[in-house]
Amino acid sequence: MLDKIEQLKKEIEAVAAQSAEEVEQLRIKYLSKKGEVSKLFAEFRNVPAEQKREVGQAINTLRDFAQERLEVLRSGLQEQKDSAAGIDFTLPGESMKLGTRHPLSIVRNEILDIFKRLGFVVTEGPEIEDDWHVFSALNFPEEHPARDMQDTFFIQRNPDILLRTHTSSVQVHDMEEMEPPIRTVTPGRVFRNEAISARAHCMFHQIEGLYIDENVSFADLKQTLLYFAQELFGEETKIRMRPSYFPFTEPSAEMDVSCSICGGEGCNVCKHTGWLEILGCGMVDPNVLESSGIDSNKYTGFAFGMGIERIAMLKYGINDLRLYFENDVRFLNQFK
Ligand SMILES: Cc1ccc(OCc2nc(C(=O)N[C@H]3CCS(=O)(=O)C3)cs2)cc1
């Protein structure tokens, strides 16, 4: 019987097939219920006991060999079919196209990480707000021009519901809900109805920060912002504060950093001043603290605000705001 098994193995080794039908014929001949292998199993009962182990293993091996051989014939036919269809399997695979994070997201995350390292908590809030959180609680007088339709998108009037013009509104919620010490940084979209301005873009991105505690001083503000500027633009970066005015801070200042392009020598980016304005800041006006129920005799605080588009422009030399929202992959792909 072992000779018959060996002979069948040689026969199967030599079989070929030019079509799926021929493979099926071979399967029926060797592996079906009436096939050659089944016949061997039928004869197996006549094999002498002392040979049963060897013969049984030989039949199982022959069956596995026949199955593998038929599988090789099938896949060979598939490859012929594919190559006939022009598929070349030797080509390298399609590389996975990886996306890239938007430059505004990269800069936002970098700025938030710096303040998180200082113990600030990230807070967010609604883009549709009431005029209390956007204006009144922030010490804007009733007749302030920012409240006009020229600067603000109103959804309804009386009561005024509007699109927030800064993320300070979220920090008013934070002051209403949190007990000092308060250390929050708040990223988000803000909306300005500035059809008349050269910017002519109605939405941009901001990050604002707020620190309220006992004995917070302007020196704390300067030190915090110096650390932030050097972390973001490099350790050689210098800062300077210029007096300014905002309804919600007193004193107020605008902060410049030494130009990271020319190191302060003067170039066309910094308009040959050596300085670049990056944010506004100041000590929180006591009226603002009191409006949100914080005792201004016990607590003081500082705050700052910056536009992310501007910071990203300084970091990456992006000189056209439209690039941020046109989603041109030739632009976005550069931020791998
Ligand atoms: C409760 C509270 C109190 C005070 C606050 O002051 C946030 C501040 N923002 C600025 C500022 O100059 N912001 C602008 C920079 C460029 S921008 O994106 O157009 C907005 C100065 S102080 C915030 C919250």
Side-chain angles (χ1 to χ4, degrees), residues 102-116:
H102 193 283
L104 290 180
S105 301
I106 295 171
V107 171
R108 181 201 59 207
N109 296 343
E110 209 174 321
I111 293 170
L112 293 179
D113 284 348
I114 294 169
F115 287 103
K116 279 162 42 179

Side-chain angles (χ1 to χ4, degrees), residues 207-209 218 220-226 239-256 277-285 301-306:
I207 291 181
E208 298 210 337
F218 198 86
D220 297 321
L221 173 59
K222 279 185 69 175
Q223 187 53 44
T224 302
L225 293 180
L226 174 63
I239 63 169
R240 74 176 183 185
M241 301 278 193
R242 288 177 286 101
S244 183
Y245 169 76
F246 308 106
F248 31 75
T249 48
E250 182 57 36
S252 301
E254 280 163 355
M255 187 179 94
D256 303 333
E277 179 182 336
I278 64 162
L279 60 82
C281 60
M283 300 308 288
V284 178
D285 191 298
F302 67 59
F304 54 85
M306 65 192 87

